[in-house]
Amino acid sequence: MENNQNPKLIKPLRKYTTIGWREWISLPGLNIDKIKAKIDTGARTSALHAFSLKPFTENGKNKIRFEIHPLQHDTHQAIICIADVVDKRAVTDSGGHEEERYVIQTPITIAGQTWPIEITLTERENMLFRMLLGRSALRKRFIVNPARSFVTTKAHKK
């Protein structure tokens, strides 16, 4: 350590799990056993491809019903999901376009860890990945190795 460095500013190295730039994850609260996610450290919030969004109120709670195609290139398999709406936000995509999106909170499982995250719902039918996992979901849990893929699991076959 150089003499001009303050030892109080050097934090001890915590052990974080390493993940690749894409991983198979599950969203057990939405009955999604597997979905390929792109780990997107440039995005603050996570996003899930959804269609047929139908907001409704049940017992005074705002909810949303939606469908997803969990596997790319497979529009025949659809999963119907229902979740509590925690917010509706303006989100700017990578192309600079602003879109109002519903926000839900649901558990995610990756690398044997499960915790709740916020996810925005958006139409991603033409995108390669059905899910983008943003940096707020990854914070203080993982290190991303951009040279690796599917570090935590073997790639699932269709």
Side-chain angles (χ1 to χ4, degrees):
M1 176 167 55
E2 292 181 46
N3 291 339
N4 62 352
Q5 286 184 328
N6 183 343
K8 291 181 182 178
L9 296 178
I10 300 171
K11 296 181 181 178
L13 181 63
R14 289 185 51 186
K15 289 223 170 198
Y16 294 109
T17 302
T18 299
I19 59 175
W21 71 273
R22 58 186 174 165
E23 292 289 343
W24 286 100
I25 63 146
S26 65
L27 300 168
L30 300 176
N31 295 317
I32 300 171
D33 294 330
K34 65 180 180 186
I35 187 168
K36 188 169 30 172
K38 178 182 178 185
I39 311 306
D40 189 353
T41 58
R44 181 180 318 138
T45 310
S46 300
L48 178 65
H49 156 66
F51 63 97
S52 298
L53 280 73
K54 294 185 175 71
F56 64 98
T57 304
E58 183 178 84
N59 299 322
K61 289 187 116 180
N62 291 329
K63 295 185 171 275
I64 190 158
R65 179 189 182 277
F66 57 95
E67 295 182 52
I68 71 149
H69 296 302
L71 301 174
Q72 68 190 56
H73 311 301
D74 183 354
T75 56
H76 294 95
Q77 180 185 1
I79 297 174
I80 299 169
C81 305
I82 296 175
D84 291 341
V85 174
V86 298
D87 200 3
K88 197 171 181 184
R89 294 185 196 140
V91 176
T92 304
D93 67 17
S94 60
H97 305 99
E98 192 172 281
E99 174 187 24
E100 185 115 359
R101 296 184 189 172
Y102 289 99
V103 182
I104 64 170
Q105 186 175 51
T106 192
I108 182 173
T109 302
I110 181 172
Q113 299 180 41
T114 302
W115 71 100
I117 65 167
E118 285 190 348
I119 301 173
T120 64
L121 303 177
T122 184
E123 173 62 51
R124 296 188 54 79
E125 187 65 40
N126 297 323
M127 302 297 278
L128 187 58
F129 292 90
R130 301 298 191 208
M131 171 104 187
L132 296 179
L133 195 57
R135 66 181 178 269
S136 61
L138 303 168
R139 190 169 184 263
K140 296 185 179 179
R141 292 184 184 274
F142 300 103
I143 292 174
V144 181
N145 182 342
R148 305 271 317 270
S149 293
F150 309 116
V151 174
T152 64
T153 58
K154 292 182 180 177
H156 290 276
K157 299 287 183 197
K158 283 186 186 178

